[in-house]
Amino acid sequence: MKLKKYLMFLIIAVFVIISACSKNTDPKRFEKIVTSASWRIAKAQINDKNKTGDFNNYIFRFEGNKDLIIIKPDIDTLKGAWTRGNDKKPLLLYMIIPQIYPNFITFDDDWVVTYLTKDEFRIERNGGTADEFIFRKKV
């Protein structure tokens, strides 16, 4: 009898974990979350170097019309575009930044969304490099 209870608990636990993971990268949920707030970069890892300081004070807005607006208050506003893929595994985020913004050209690529909550999401460059960004909701 104990074995049956243990087995049932294990099956339920696995189901809950699998269900939670699949929700985290749902394309519609991702779009709802990123368009509902402004974001700051909490971590920027590019070519195995910490570049977080390069993006201090920038605010990222992923608009519902697919515009990407990057603001440095009182200094600059950059405009690009974004879209998302339709698959859950992997969920892809595409960002397009005009060449006139050389410091932000690193974003101009397709990214895999590896983590998503209502307050934070993580993207890694699609293609096996170690490039990674963590965005946190601007409070």
Side-chain angles (χ1 to χ4, degrees):
M1 191 68 168
K2 278 188 169 184
L3 184 58
K4 280 187 176 181
K5 285 183 180 179
Y6 176 74
L7 188 56
M8 183 59 92
F9 173 77
L10 185 61
I11 290 170
I12 291 171
V14 168
F15 177 75
V16 168
I17 290 169
I18 290 171
S19 296
C21 291
S22 65
K23 285 182 181 179
N24 280 345
T25 57
D26 178 70
K28 289 180 182 176
R29 181 173 180 259
F30 173 77
E31 186 166 340
K32 182 179 178 182
I33 288 172
V34 299
T35 59
S36 69
S38 295
W39 302 88
R40 293 188 182 271
I41 292 184
K43 178 183 178 186
Q45 190 79 22
I46 304 167
N47 296 324
D48 291 325
K49 294 180 182 144
N50 185 335
K51 297 288 191 173
T52 307
D54 294 353
F55 303 101
N56 282 347
N57 302 317
Y58 281 97
I59 300 166
F60 289 73
R61 289 195 344 230
F62 296 85
E63 301 290 321
N65 64 1
K66 304 301 189 224
D67 284 343
L68 173 59
I69 300 171
I70 305 168
I71 303 164
K72 188 163 188 175
D74 301 325
I75 295 176
D76 207 359
T77 298
L78 317 174
K79 293 185 180 182
W82 75 279
T83 191
R84 59 153 173 89
N86 291 321
D87 295 331
K88 289 182 181 182
K89 293 184 181 179
L91 172 60
L92 296 178
L93 168 65
Y94 305 93
M95 290 188 272
I96 302 154
I97 308 291
Q99 298 286 328
I100 59 173
Y101 306 123
N103 291 344
F104 288 85
I105 203 68
T106 192
F107 289 99
D108 194 37
D109 206 344
D110 54 319
W111 299 85
V112 177
V113 179
T114 59
Y115 178 79
L116 173 67
T117 68
K118 65 182 178 73
D119 296 318
E120 181 177 286
F121 67 96
R122 180 182 312 125
I123 58 175
E124 295 175 1
R125 190 177 304 277
N126 191 20
T129 68
D131 295 354
E132 165 185 73
F133 288 95
I134 296 176
F135 288 84
R136 285 206 183 109
K137 187 183 281 188
K138 179 184 176 294
V139 196

